[in-house]
Amino acid sequence: MYYRTYSDYLKTKYGEKVYKLPVNLPISCPNRMNGMGGCTFCADVGTGFEAMAAEISVTEQLERTKEKISKRYKANKFIAYFQNYTNTFMSFERFQTYMMEAAQVTDIVEISISTRPDCIKREYLDFLFALKKDTKINIHFELGLQTVNYHTLKQINRGHGLGEFIQAVLMIQRYGFTICTHMILNLPGDTLDDAIEGAKFLSALEIDIVKLHSLYLPKNSQLYTQYINGTITLCSKEEYLERLTEFLAYLSPEMVVERLFSRVPEEYAGFSNWGTSWWKLRDEFEELMKKKNYTQGCRFHYLNGAALNRWELE
């Protein structure tokens, strides 16, 4: 195995295969509410392509999806996945209601909350800590970062920098919740060096899980308009695979890797995966890892006094 997979991680943690149940809430994102139009790569529908309508209750969304997956895969354990938009961008009272509703659904072993680094507040974390203690349901955060290049963060209108991300991580880690970070390795303006630095940055912060995305451009996104107009260029498939393999080489071997490529319905994407299926990209990725004789963490030798370790000092 070239990297530590998310599916194996869940099997080890829960003793069997665990399935995510996406939940869509009637919320938005602070980056959309500020009049700036949100991140330039984001579509109006966000990322909840597989979720039900936000008007449907949390309980009904979870129960209906759980029933379908249970019959198909004989599944017994599930993750309530609050995926779309920013799922802490609401009043504390509303947040409590949604989370407690999810916790009351049987066979839920984890609540996963997708949000932004600038939407983490201690009051919400205190509540989640108490909820975990009372229900024994694990709490998991998905934080979007996308890149460690602060120039690129500004260009794509992320609305936050590295400082906000670091503070959010340090706050969440104090509660013992797991953290998954989203990264895009082929944003316009980024290079191979940014990909490598991203792996080092996440490893130094001891992030638990990383979810990698190859950039896709929704047809109604600002970035797609820039792509069509020729004001931005995207790196080649070969360059992305080079960045991906080097990212994994520098990544801590303790970190879990949830995804390597984006998966998005064709009707939403103006550009996605260079017109190649994700499983073909995976095959090419594995061939390149084999050619380089790489595995995750094979270049993880830069922390813990690395310079001292290279010298015999008197």
Side-chain angles (χ1 to χ4, degrees), residues 181-185 202 210-214 240 244 247-248 251 257-262:
T181 299
H182 290 231
M183 296 289 284
I184 301 174
L185 300 184
L202 299 183
V210 61
K211 182 185 284 189
L212 299 171
H213 300 267
S214 46
Y240 179 80
L244 175 58
F247 178 93
L248 291 174
L251 194 69
V257 181
E258 183 169 351
R259 179 177 291 179
L260 302 177
F261 309 101
S262 292

Side-chain angles (χ1 to χ4, degrees), residues 116-259:
R116 289 169 53 89
D118 54 0
C119 287
I120 300 297
K121 198 172 181 180
R122 195 171 306 280
E123 182 181 21
Y124 294 59
L125 298 176
D126 287 339
F127 160 72
L128 290 171
F129 186 78
L131 183 68
K132 177 181 177 180
K133 184 177 180 181
D134 291 341
T135 64
K136 310 305 180 186
I137 293 175
N138 289 314
I139 305 297
H140 173 95
F141 275 92
E142 291 201 4
L143 294 179
L145 175 60
Q146 319 309 346
T147 178
V148 295
N149 185 326
Y150 58 90
H151 298 292
T152 302
L153 287 173
K154 185 175 182 179
Q155 287 297 319
I156 63 175
N157 196 38
R158 272 298 291 174
H160 68 76
L162 296 178
E164 293 92 323
F165 178 81
I166 293 170
Q167 190 207 27
V169 167
L170 295 178
M171 287 178 65
I172 294 169
Q173 286 176 334
R174 293 190 188 105
Y175 292 82
F177 305 147
T178 58
I179 300 174
C180 172
T181 299
H182 290 231
M183 296 289 284
I184 301 174
L185 300 184
N186 60 324
L187 284 165
D190 274 9
T191 65
L192 174 61
D193 288 340
D194 293 306
I196 292 173
E197 192 63 25
K200 291 182 175 183
F201 182 77
L202 299 183
S203 298
L205 281 173
E206 299 183 350
I207 298 298
D208 303 290
I209 303 168
V210 61
K211 182 185 284 189
L212 299 171
H213 300 267
S214 46
L215 178 66
Y216 72 87
L217 304 179
K219 294 177 181 178
N220 61 345
S221 65
Q222 298 176 55
L223 209 56
Y224 181 64
T225 300
Q226 296 171 11
Y227 174 65
I228 292 298
N229 293 341
T231 55
I232 62 166
T233 57
L234 304 180
C235 78
S236 67
K237 176 184 67 174
E238 291 73 21
E239 172 64 18
Y240 179 80
L241 292 173
E242 179 71 13
R243 296 181 190 184
L244 175 58
T245 54
E246 293 299 325
F247 178 93
L248 291 174
Y250 282 89
L251 194 69
S252 166
E254 299 299 317
M255 201 176 302
V256 175
V257 181
E258 183 169 351
R259 179 177 291 179

